Amino acid sequence: MFRRIGNAVVRHPVWTIVAWLIAAVAIVATAPSLPSNSDESSFLPKSYESIKAAVLQEKAFPSAFTPSAIALYQRTDGGKLTAADKQNIARITSQLGSKHIDQVQKVVPGQPSKDGRYDLTLVQMDSKNAGQPKQIDAAKVLRDDVKELAKGTHLDVKLGGSAAQALDQQDSSKRGQALIGIGTFAIILITLLIIFRAPILAILPLVLIGLVSAVANGLIAYATKLFDLQANSSISSILIVVLFGVGTDYFLFLMFRYRERLRAGDEPKQAMINAVDRVGEAIASAAGAVIIAFLALVLSTLGFLKQMGPALAIAVAATLVAGLTLIPAVVSLIGPKVFWPSKSWQREPENARFAALGRGVQRRPGLTAALSGLVLVALSLGTLGFNATFDLAAGSMPKTKESMVVQDEMQKAYSAGAAAPTDVFVSSTDGKQLDKSGLDAYAQKLGAVDGVANARLTQLNKAGTTADITVTLKYEASTDKAIDAVGEVRDVAHSDAPEGTEAVVGGMSSIYKDIATAVNHDYRTVFPVAALLIMIILGLLLRSVVAPWYLMASVGLGFGATLGATVWIFQEGQGHSGLMFMLPVIMYLFVVAIGTDYNILMIARLREEAREGREPREAAGMALRHAGPTVAAAGFILAATFATMMLAGNALLTEMGFAVSFGIAVAAFVMAMFFTPSLTALIGHAAWWPGHGDQAREVPAGAGSPDAGSVPGQDRDTVAPDPSGRRG
């Protein structure tokens, strides 16, 4: 199949390129816009208690006041607010309300802090548009207006709350995306220049993958709208890295093999056909493993991950198609001039370092497997200290952003949970009015729960059938203590609810509690499904039942080592309270799926060497010698591109960037180069059971060489070694 694809695109390169350009223009021109949603509650399905509470609140208290933005006032000298300051605050609050800003429903004064140094203005917005672009735009107008109204006073005013956090998160994402894009381009360009010493080859993947990126983003926008998926601004940054990192990997897989075929004496166009034929299966299998692993995210209960999975799968699928069609077409059109001005492509280097590494694996596979395995196990011990944090807003932007400063200052000035109180909604199950005296006693029980600052009955609906009891926690909503406390509040709310009533608990801490439950569900579902599907792909590629097991075991060790190292660096080293809650899921998919690429490339090359008639140990050594440079180059570029995410300046992308880049480095430089080939050498022919994938294939008389146009007497694209050990 891959030979037919290679033949088609190489024989008709212009038509292939034109088809890509037409498709790109059509998709980009007609694709819908991709809105972003930063409302954490929208990531959960309606079956969770916190979402049931939000739905009930909207129904029972449609005019209930829930601030989306909070203006926090303090004197510029840090002293207590004076009478004149309070008059100015009242004036600003009144004038802000009279402006009738879009999305703003109410503007009311808040409570001053107990120390007299802070005061608030509370702004309610349309809850239906929480986290949507309309509300983000309104937050920008609010921030500008409230600062303008405070000019000429001794007041320093900052805007916080969920709407302001969404605005700051969007700004931070744009800045981070720009830095990630620049860093990714620079790394790919410089690394390819060093590897090939050819400017055309260094620039070519950036141009081609840029075209693929436009197509992929358009297809993602279509899929998001078609399946009503949730979008998040962080996905754009991840997409840049996936498209350019994975795309460059596949470009390298193809170009290394193309160069090898040219060195073997193939005519240029035939060299590209043979390259697609030989490496196409490895690229397709590697991409298939990544796509299936990402699609496993549709089993997630979190809307954020549900959208991320298909988006990344579409990106990798587009990259795969380009790797098998667009890249071969363009390179075959240019021919060997793509390597200009370097002439090193004409002769094969000795690859002394990789040859030495190959000989080491060949001679001592047991020692190599043991040492590399011990490194992975030692790093994996760090997973025992893993702890999750759930504040997606704080994790998506630096602490210096205005909304984050407001959040921190409010925690000091007010009760830590005052900015995001917990609501217990009690509803009559028989339609009768609630007994107010019973509700007061119920509120006292809730107030006595460990971790609760106070609890009070705040309102009844018009029919008197639903009550809202506001519970203020002692802790900030996203902390472990707050999440534990809201769990106890739920227990008491359910067990001690007055007779004939039913209680549900809402608020941000309740949402975080449900997110924790959803993530645990994803660990039990997404992980095994992704692993099983990748194993099936490996089994089909290698025609083996044995090899997929130890390959997945090695990748599992790589995941454990990556998570352990991340825990040690960020939790133990930098003192973070925990890692972002979705990090293990994302890390698992990237490290397991993309990390498998290098195992696939190495094991496919090992199989080729075995088919040349070499014994398992020699085949492992030769595979490392000849596939090692490709794995090293691709692994370095992909790890470095993911590391650019650390430039974004927020906890989520910093942790993700380090974890994934470290995991890919482990996959390339530990697993693929040492652990996998040494294990395969130790297991020997049994690794390919029940098939015979490592047995030499005889070419029927008169059938010709599998690689037409190769050097006479050479029926594979691996040249038999001469007595000196050099090839070709």
Side-chain angles (χ1 to χ4, degrees):
M1 180 179 78
F2 296 103
R3 173 165 288 277
R4 287 197 295 272
I5 292 173
N7 262 311
V9 299
V10 170
R11 302 304 179 196
H12 307 285
V14 175
W15 286 112
T16 303
I17 296 167
V18 168
W20 263 95
L21 291 173
I22 292 172
V25 171
I27 291 170
V28 172
T30 60
S33 59
L34 187 62
S36 178
N37 192 350
S38 57
D39 179 20
E40 282 94 338
S41 64
S42 67
F43 299 154
L44 289 167
K46 294 179 180 179
S47 58
Y48 281 84
E49 182 168 349
S50 59
I51 307 305
K52 289 180 179 178
V55 172
L56 177 60
Q57 181 182 27
E58 185 71 25
K59 182 179 178 182
F61 306 102
S63 60
F65 189 89
T66 304
S68 299
I70 301 170
L72 178 68
Y73 305 92
Q74 66 180 126
R75 283 184 61 83
T76 52
D77 60 11
K80 288 188 177 182
L81 297 170
T82 65
D85 293 331
K86 293 176 182 177
Q87 287 179 355
N88 280 322
I89 292 170
R91 172 185 59 80
I92 292 169
T93 302
S94 175
Q95 290 180 344
L96 206 58
S98 65
K99 284 181 173 287
H100 303 296
I101 298 168
D102 181 44
Q103 298 296 306
V104 173
Q105 296 175 329
K106 284 184 184 178
V107 180
V108 301
Q111 292 293 323
S113 62
K114 290 181 181 179
D115 61 10
R117 295 174 58 227
Y118 295 90
D119 206 345
L120 306 171
T121 292
L122 307 177
V123 182
Q124 177 177 297
M125 297 186 182
D126 188 350
S127 61
K128 294 178 182 177
N129 292 323
Q132 297 295 331
K134 284 184 179 180
Q135 199 165 102
I136 292 172
D137 293 341
K140 189 176 190 307
V141 174
L142 266 173
R143 180 172 283 170
D144 293 340
D145 285 355
V146 77
K147 290 181 186 296
E148 183 65 31
L149 292 171
K151 280 186 178 178
T153 71
H154 296 289
L155 294 171
D156 176 37
V157 57
K158 299 181 182 73
L159 192 75
S162 59
Q165 287 178 352
L167 171 63
D168 288 341
Q169 187 177 342
Q170 183 184 73
D171 291 342
S172 179
S173 175
K174 287 179 181 177
R175 175 181 174 275
Q177 194 172 325
L179 289 171
I180 289 169
I182 293 168
T184 299
F185 271 58
I187 287 167
I188 293 173
L189 189 65
I190 293 169
T191 307
L192 290 179
L193 277 172
I194 293 171
I195 293 171
F196 293 107
R197 299 179 182 86
I200 298 175
L201 263 183
I203 296 169
L204 193 59
L206 297 176
V207 175
L208 297 182
I209 299 167
L211 177 64
V212 176
S213 175
V215 171
N217 276 292
L219 294 174
I220 289 165
Y222 274 119
T224 301
K225 185 175 182 179
L226 182 63
F227 298 105
D228 194 27
L229 300 169
Q230 298 292 342
N232 185 274
S233 54
S234 297
I235 292 176
S236 298
S237 300
I238 299 169
L239 271 175
I240 292 172
V241 177
V242 169
L243 281 163
F244 283 91
V246 173
T248 304
D249 265 13
Y250 298 161
F251 179 82
L252 283 172
F253 290 178
L254 190 66
M255 291 312 301
F256 270 94
R257 189 54 71 96
Y258 175 59
R259 186 175 65 179
E260 185 176 329
R261 294 309 308 149
L262 287 173
R263 286 170 176 166
D266 285 3
E267 179 270 329
K269 287 189 179 295
Q270 191 62 47
M272 180 54 73
I273 294 171
N274 291 340
V276 173
D277 180 35
R278 286 286 169 247
V279 85
E281 186 180 24
I283 291 176
S285 300
V290 179
I291 291 168
I292 282 182
F294 286 156
L295 286 178
L297 280 178
V298 300
L299 301 174
S300 170
T301 50
L302 293 172
F304 171 72
L305 294 178
K306 272 181 177 291
Q307 197 272 344
M308 179 184 285
L312 295 178
I314 289 169
V316 175
T319 307
L320 167 64
V321 175
L324 296 177
T325 59
L326 180 62
I327 293 172
V330 173
V331 174
S332 66
L333 202 60
I334 300 171
K337 291 179 182 178
V338 76
F339 296 105
W340 179 89
S342 172
K343 295 183 179 180
S344 60
W345 65 272
Q346 296 174 351
R347 61 187 181 280
E348 182 171 357
E350 294 185 14
N351 287 338
R353 292 187 184 88
F354 291 97
L357 292 174
R359 287 193 297 271
V361 169
Q362 181 177 337
R363 292 169 184 166
R364 299 181 182 86
L367 180 63
T368 304
L371 288 176
S372 53
L374 280 173
V375 169
L376 297 175
V377 170
L379 289 172
S380 298
L381 295 176
T383 58
L384 300 175
F386 171 73
N387 185 49
T389 58
F390 297 89
D391 190 352
L392 188 59
S396 299
M397 66 186 110
K399 290 288 186 183
T400 54
K401 283 291 186 180
E402 186 171 327
S403 58
M404 291 293 97
V405 174
V406 170
Q407 180 174 289
D408 291 341
E409 290 184 352
M410 283 191 66
Q411 288 176 34
K412 297 171 186 173
Y414 298 84
S415 169
T422 295
D423 291 288
V424 178
F425 298 102
V426 186
S427 299
S428 171
T429 55
D430 55 9
K432 295 180 180 179
Q433 288 192 343
L434 298 169
D435 177 14
K436 193 171 182 301
S437 62
L439 292 174
D440 289 333
Y442 180 58
Q444 289 180 359
K445 291 180 181 178
L446 293 171
V449 172
D450 187 33
V452 173
N454 62 72
R456 59 192 176 88
L457 174 63
T458 51
Q459 58 184 333
L460 286 165
N461 68 339
K462 289 182 180 179
T465 55
T466 301
D468 177 6
I469 298 174
T470 301
V471 178
T472 304
L473 302 178
K474 295 178 181 178
Y475 318 109
E476 194 275 319
S478 65
T479 61
D480 293 339
K481 289 183 178 179
I483 293 169
D484 291 340
V486 88
E488 294 186 33
V489 168
R490 281 184 176 183
D491 292 340
V492 173
H494 298 158
S495 61
D496 291 357
E499 189 176 349
T501 66
E502 183 180 57
V504 289
V505 181
M508 288 309 302
S509 293
S510 186
I511 289 172
Y512 292 139
K513 177 75 175 175
D514 286 340
I515 287 176
T517 303
V519 169
N520 288 331
H521 164 272
D522 291 350
Y523 291 162
R524 296 189 300 269
T525 307
V526 176
F527 282 25
V529 168
L532 178 62
L533 293 174
I534 292 173
M535 283 184 68
I536 291 172
I537 285 181
L538 289 171
L540 292 173
L541 169 68
L542 303 173
R543 282 79 170 174
S544 166
V545 172
V546 176
W549 284 98
Y550 69 81
L551 289 176
M552 284 306 298
S554 71
V555 173
L557 273 176
F559 166 75
T562 303
L563 181 57
T566 308
V567 168
W568 272 332
I569 287 177
F570 289 98
Q571 287 186 213
E572 306 298 330
Q574 296 190 12
H576 290 194
S577 61
L579 304 177
M580 290 305 296
F581 66 90
M582 79 275 281
L583 188 63
V585 177
I586 294 172
M587 187 191 307
Y588 176 84
L589 291 167
F590 278 107
V591 173
V592 171
I594 296 179
T596 303
D597 284 8
Y598 306 120
N599 268 343
I600 287 174
L601 188 69
M602 185 61 74
I603 203 78
R605 187 61 188 241
L606 195 153
R607 181 180 60 182
E608 283 190 33
E609 299 292 346
R611 285 175 174 174
E612 292 293 327
R614 296 183 175 91
E615 287 302 307
R617 293 194 180 198
E618 185 188 2
M622 293 299 290
L624 180 53
R625 175 184 174 182
H626 295 290
T630 310
V631 170
F636 173 79
I637 288 178
L638 192 57
T641 52
F642 271 104
T644 61
M645 293 171 69
M646 299 173 70
L647 299 173
N650 66 64
L652 173 61
L653 292 180
T654 298
E655 291 172 3
M656 192 185 301
F658 170 81
V660 177
S661 62
F662 183 87
I664 287 168
V666 167
F669 295 99
V670 179
M671 292 189 299
M673 285 199 189
F674 299 105
F675 199 63
T676 296
S678 58
L679 275 180
T680 307
L682 282 172
I683 296 170
H685 296 292
W688 308 97
W689 184 87
H692 304 286
D694 64 333
Q695 292 186 4
R697 291 181 179 177
E698 295 183 3
V699 182
S705 166
D707 281 349
S710 58
V711 176
Q714 197 178 293
D715 63 356
R716 303 291 295 175
D717 64 353
T718 300
V719 185
D722 64 21
S724 67
R726 294 184 61 177
R727 303 180 72 194

